[in-house]
Amino acid sequence: QLREDESQGNPEAVYPVDPLATQAHGAQKAPKLTLVIVPVKYSNDGSGRLPNTTNVQIKKLTERFYAMYPVRDVDVQIRSNFNWNQKVSSSGNGWGNLLNAIADLRSSDGADYNTYYFGMVNPAGSRAAYCGGGCVAGLGFLGSPGSPTSRAAIGLGFGDDLAIDTALHELGHNHGREHAPCGGPANVDPSFPYANGNIGVYGYDLITHKHYAPNSFKDVMTYCDPVWISDHNFVRNFNHASMLDNAQVVVPPALMNRSYERVMLDGEGGGTWMKPIALKHPPLAEAVDVTVQTTQGPEVVTGELLRYDHLPGGVLYLPPTQSPLAVSAHAVQAQIDGKTLSVARAQ
């Protein structure tokens, strides 16, 4: 109950209006956010360059998450370095490979069901050198509460505000958020209620106690600046995170600890085979009917498509088949986004 501040003498600053009354606020317990930062040691150019994970930068990141996300606590952990020899280009080439590696690392580490992994990488000596002609700054999976595999993302780690806002943006995708309409992003949330990606209502920073005007700040899921978070995405992040926080994960034994074949899709009907992976929980992404060629003929299975958020494509997970996969020019066939996917499998 809020009572009148006698020093101010403001009768409007009373809730409820009757100081002797009580009224339910409908408050709910906020979930906790656990985030593991993976410093990527970039070795493709021989530098062994590491991102900025100093105490100062991680404190800023933690406070920004606490201020903007609907959480009661933010637990940020720094994992040991992860070496990466492949090229990560400003055009987007190589980002999918690194994201998939971080997702696999999350799995091999045995991360908790509701723990997020975020790989930070510096593919050049400075942000200016990397982004001088425009750049991809981050990539993540478009997540769902039932898919622990989707709780992985990557982004630049040059120790500036862009690195922090990229982490906020990519974790938003991991929470299932699509883009807000500002800056020309693809995959815009059709239900976003405010024009030009505005936050739409006043925002409040629990750390700095600053207010953010509805039409002066853009939602963190846009490509514009400056950013805060709209009530639209705040509520949706809360609902997503609350489902994880209160989850009683019950998976039929037959679906646990299974091995999945995987194909990395390029979004244009092509794909590349990845190494099989054993997952404690099924990926539970977007269900896709897939015809798989086996040694005993074609077999129709339900694949799980885990989409990237900024780049076309994603990863298609294939459950175990009754017969071994065959060597075939059309080992995997499916219809995805109006395109015919046909991927060969060599010996």
Side-chain angles (χ1 to χ4, degrees):
Q1 187 182 65
L2 302 178
R3 296 188 178 279
E4 180 179 349
D5 185 340
E6 295 181 355
S7 65
Q8 297 295 322
N10 179 6
E12 299 297 324
V14 179
Y15 182 83
V17 175
D18 179 356
L20 299 180
T22 59
Q23 185 166 330
H25 291 260
Q28 302 178 59
K29 182 181 179 181
K32 177 182 177 181
L33 175 65
T34 301
L35 175 61
V36 175
I37 301 295
V38 181
V40 176
K41 184 178 180 181
Y42 189 70
S43 300
N44 177 263
D45 58 4
S47 67
R49 189 182 302 108
L50 287 167
N52 185 324
T53 56
T54 60
N55 290 339
V56 171
Q57 182 72 357
I58 296 304
K59 181 175 184 292
K60 289 171 61 178
L61 182 144
T62 303
E63 290 181 347
R64 186 79 162 162
F65 266 105
Y66 181 75
M68 196 179 294
Y69 269 54
V71 293
R72 68 177 183 270
D73 187 27
V74 179
D75 178 17
V76 177
Q77 305 167 16
I78 309 298
R79 191 191 180 280
S80 57
N81 298 340
F82 179 69
N83 192 57
W84 190 246
N85 291 311
Q86 299 181 36
K87 187 174 179 60
V88 177
S89 300
S90 58
S91 64
N93 291 334
W95 280 85
N97 290 335
L98 178 56
L99 172 58
N100 295 330
I102 295 299
D104 288 358
L105 183 68
R106 181 191 180 281
S107 177
S108 64
D109 281 353
D112 288 342
Y113 187 81
N114 57 354
T115 294
Y116 293 82
Y117 267 45
F118 187 77
M120 283 188 173
V121 61
N122 287 359
S126 68
R127 174 184 167 188
Y130 184 71
C131 292
C135 65
V136 172
L139 186 68
F141 290 116
L142 191 60
S144 65
S147 177
T149 310
S150 69
R151 292 189 254 287
I154 56 176
L156 298 179
F158 287 114
D160 52 14
D161 289 341
L162 175 66
I164 293 174
D165 286 345
T166 296
L168 290 159
H169 182 103
E170 297 305 330
L171 264 289
H173 287 308
N174 284 172
H175 280 68
R177 306 284 65 76
E178 296 178 292
H179 287 121
C182 185
N187 304 318
V188 171
D189 178 358
S191 67
F192 192 83
Y194 307 119
N196 303 317
N198 292 332
I199 60 174
V201 298
Y202 273 95
Y204 178 69
D205 189 325
L206 293 169
I207 301 295
T208 65
H209 306 297
K210 291 181 179 179
H211 290 84
Y212 300 93
N215 296 322
S216 299
F217 285 80
K218 305 298 182 181
D219 188 87
V220 68
M221 299 311 296
T222 67
Y223 283 175
C224 297
D225 292 309
V227 298
W228 192 247
I229 191 167
S230 64
D231 58 339
H232 175 81
N233 278 331
F234 187 91
V235 169
R236 281 154 180 77
N237 281 351
F238 178 85
N239 292 338
H240 181 107
S242 294
M243 291 180 68
L244 298 185
D245 203 48
N246 299 315
Q248 299 291 327
V249 183
V250 179
V251 179
L255 298 181
M256 294 187 66
N257 301 309
R258 295 205 300 179
S259 180
Y260 292 83
E261 294 284 352
R262 299 180 292 171
V263 179
M264 184 168 60
L265 309 184
D266 60 16
E268 298 297 330
T272 305
W273 284 93
M274 301 170 61
K275 292 181 179 179
I277 187 171
L279 296 177
K280 180 179 180 181
H281 299 98
L284 294 179
E286 179 182 335
V288 176
D289 289 334
V290 183
T291 300
V292 181
Q293 298 297 328
T294 75
T295 55
Q296 299 302 311
E299 182 177 331
V300 178
V301 299
T302 299
E304 303 285 348
L305 174 57
L306 198 54
R307 292 181 183 266
Y308 301 141
D309 52 37
H310 292 287
L311 299 176
V315 180
L316 180 63
Y317 287 77
L318 303 173
T321 51
Q322 295 181 11
S323 302
L325 296 182
V327 174
S328 170
H330 307 286
V332 172
Q333 293 179 293
Q335 289 291 321
I336 299 175
D337 299 333
K339 298 182 177 69
T340 299
L341 170 72
S342 182
V343 183
R345 184 171 184 268
Q347 184 68 46

